[in-house]
């Protein structure tokens, strides 16, 4: 069924049907009702591409994130799911684009062919050419995360520096003096991933303030890497009694390594970090952590992007979230202290 058949049955021209559907020109109420009656009888649904050509909008937003490698982490999947769900509430579809730098062909197609009305960027780097490129184009976008100079941008972020600092102070308050930091993989730190750098900054600052003896480690995003990292921690300094992690994908392996080393959590060793709440609750004992509000961040990112699309002249807005530490069962006082 097409516009021509609707026009024939309604006794009007094709252009009149087109105007009635797009709203680009006024159509009399009687004519509009006549056209709508035919549409209802035929069950006609305008083609999405045709709608986009008519009103210049695709009702689609792009979600741009780096290629997964072997897999996506649970937190990344939480972000993706929350963006899709929030966009649906605004009647927007989501086009996923596993893209990187501004030279990436998929990213360029997304922009050059105007497949989407706006974009949400995940896994932000301190120097992120995707953010810069979209700003230069004036293309509506919102970042989940912050660059090194976030002023004047549209973004929703997590204060990894403050959250890791809070985790360190929590362990220090419990009497821990020798603490390890388990960060994301080395290649992400080299690439300038914001969360890895800001988390490391927070750990270093808080450890210095409390006079702790510390070591820092980069760890792959999987359980096997987590176990190997834990073994390395205890080999480097057997007197270590606690760790802070940003790497939720390695969490199960860290726990397994402690169990195999005969370290009971939390009696012999405390574990804390910055992870999504539902992942903190999948380990035993459940992780004391600053819970990443992934669903809220995805929802806020969509809210900001829709606001930007509906009001292109709006002043830039952003949200920096600092959730509290949820006390569960994975941290305790160092044996012999209270």
């Amino acid at each position: 069924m097409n516009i021509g058949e609707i026009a024939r049955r309604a006794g009007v021209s094709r252009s009149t049907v087109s105007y009635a559907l797009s709203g680009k020109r006024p159509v009399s109420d009687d004519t509009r009702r006549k056209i709508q009656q035919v549409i209802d009888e035929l069950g006609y649904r305008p083609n999405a591409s045709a709608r986009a050509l008519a009103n210049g909008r695709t009702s689609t937003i792009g979600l741009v994130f780096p290629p997964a490698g072997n897999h996506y982490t649970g937190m990344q999947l939480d972000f993706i799911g929350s963006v899709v769900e929030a966009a649906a509430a605004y009647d927007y579809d989501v086009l996923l684009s596993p893209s990187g730098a501004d030279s990436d062909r998929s990213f360029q197609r997304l922009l050059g062919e105007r497949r989407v009305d706006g974009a949400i960027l995940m896994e932000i780097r301190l120097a992120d050419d995707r953010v810069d490129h979209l700003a230069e184009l004036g293309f509506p976008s919102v970042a989940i995360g912050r660059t090194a100079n976030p002023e004047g941008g549209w973004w929703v972020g997590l204060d990894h520096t403050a959250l890791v600092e809070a985790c360190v102070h929590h362990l220090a308050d419990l009497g821990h003096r020798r603490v390890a930091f388990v960060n994301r993989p080395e290649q992400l730190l080299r690439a300038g991933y914001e969360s890895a750098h800001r988390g490391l900054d927070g750990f270093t600052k808080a450890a210095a303030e409390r006079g702790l003896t510390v070591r820092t480690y980069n760890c792959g995003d999987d359980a096997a890497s987590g176990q190997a990292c834990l073994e390395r921690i205890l080999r480097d300094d057997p007197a270590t009694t606690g760790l802070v992690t940003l790497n939720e994908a390695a969490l199960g392996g860290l726990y397994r390594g402690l169990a195999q080393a005969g370290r009971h959590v939390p009696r012999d060793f405390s574990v804390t970090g910055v992870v999504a709440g539902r992942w903190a609750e999948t380990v035993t004992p459940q992780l004391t952590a600053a819970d990443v509000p992934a669903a809220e961040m995805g929802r806020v990112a969509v809210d900001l992007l829709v606001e930007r699309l509906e009001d292109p002249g709006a002043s830039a807005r952003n949200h920096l979230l600092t959730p509290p530490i949820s006390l569960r069962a994975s941290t305790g006082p160092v044996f012999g202290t209270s």
Side-chain angles (χ1 to χ4, degrees):
M1 190 55 56
N2 55 41
I3 287 179
E5 181 63 17
I6 294 170
R8 188 184 68 79
R9 296 196 183 201
V12 298
S13 68
R14 289 172 58 95
S15 60
T16 299
V17 175
S18 178
Y19 297 148
L21 292 173
S22 68
K24 282 199 167 185
R25 292 190 185 178
V27 175
S28 72
D29 291 342
D30 286 345
T31 300
R32 189 181 301 280
R33 279 195 294 270
K34 190 185 302 181
I35 292 171
Q36 189 61 53
Q37 183 177 349
V38 174
I39 287 173
D40 292 342
E41 290 173 355
L42 298 178
Y44 173 78
R45 293 292 181 272
N47 177 272
S49 298
R51 286 202 309 271
L53 287 172
N55 61 25
R57 298 285 287 269
T58 66
S59 294
T60 303
I61 60 178
L63 179 58
V64 183
F65 52 95
N70 294 329
H71 65 280
Y72 291 109
T73 68
M75 195 180 301
Q76 288 171 324
L77 293 174
D78 283 347
F79 279 131
I80 293 169
S82 67
V83 167
V84 171
E85 184 176 343
Y90 285 105
D91 206 22
Y92 273 87
D93 295 323
V94 176
L95 178 62
L96 303 182
S97 176
S99 307
D102 63 4
S103 61
D104 183 274
R105 286 182 297 176
S106 173
F107 187 45
Q108 288 300 323
R109 284 197 304 272
L110 194 74
L111 303 178
E113 299 176 14
R114 302 297 287 194
R115 296 183 178 185
V116 297
D117 298 327
I120 292 174
L121 307 178
M122 286 176 55
E123 301 290 354
I124 297 300
R125 301 176 177 92
L126 291 174
D128 201 309
D129 45 14
R130 299 171 304 167
V131 175
D132 296 338
H133 188 54
L134 291 177
E136 289 169 5
L137 292 175
F139 191 85
S141 66
V142 172
I144 298 180
R146 295 175 292 156
T147 63
N149 300 295
E151 299 80 10
W154 292 77
W155 51 266
V156 53
L158 200 64
D159 194 342
H160 288 91
T161 302
L163 294 178
V164 172
E165 284 182 16
C167 290
V168 173
H169 288 304
H170 172 64
L171 291 179
D173 289 344
L174 290 170
H176 295 271
R177 308 303 302 165
R178 308 181 81 86
V179 178
F181 180 55
V182 179
N183 205 339
R184 301 290 301 285
E186 172 67 26
Q187 63 268 30
L188 298 189
L189 197 69
R190 287 199 306 268
Y193 269 53
E194 179 232 351
S195 58
H197 277 273
R198 288 201 163 105
L200 179 58
D201 290 345
F203 181 81
T204 303
K205 179 174 180 287
E209 288 177 359
R210 302 301 292 264
L212 307 184
T213 299
V214 298
R215 292 176 183 268
T216 62
Y217 298 83
N218 292 105
C219 180
D221 287 333
D222 59 84
S225 296
Q227 183 172 350
C229 184
L230 193 284
E231 292 169 356
R232 194 160 69 250
I233 289 170
L234 294 183
R235 186 168 60 247
D236 290 345
D237 184 3
T240 302
T241 60
L243 69 81
V244 178
T245 185
L246 285 178
N247 195 325
E248 68 177 22
L251 193 56
L254 295 171
Y255 268 57
R256 189 163 66 222
L258 286 167
Q260 292 193 358
R263 300 288 184 101
H264 180 273
V265 178
R267 186 186 64 222
D268 307 317
F269 201 101
S270 289
V271 183
T272 186
V274 182
V275 307
R278 72 184 186 93
W279 299 99
E281 295 173 352
T282 62
V283 291
T284 302
Q286 292 186 358
L287 187 73
T288 290
D291 297 342
V292 176
E296 179 184 357
M297 293 179 73
R299 185 173 63 251
V300 171
V302 172
D303 289 343
L304 290 176
L305 183 57
V306 171
E307 177 184 335
R308 192 171 184 185
L309 291 171
E310 293 181 349
D311 184 5
S315 299
R317 296 208 301 117
N318 49 68
H319 294 267
L320 183 62
L321 306 179
T322 310
I325 291 181
S326 296
L327 297 176
R328 297 189 178 93
S330 66
T331 56
V334 175
F335 185 73
T337 69
S338 59

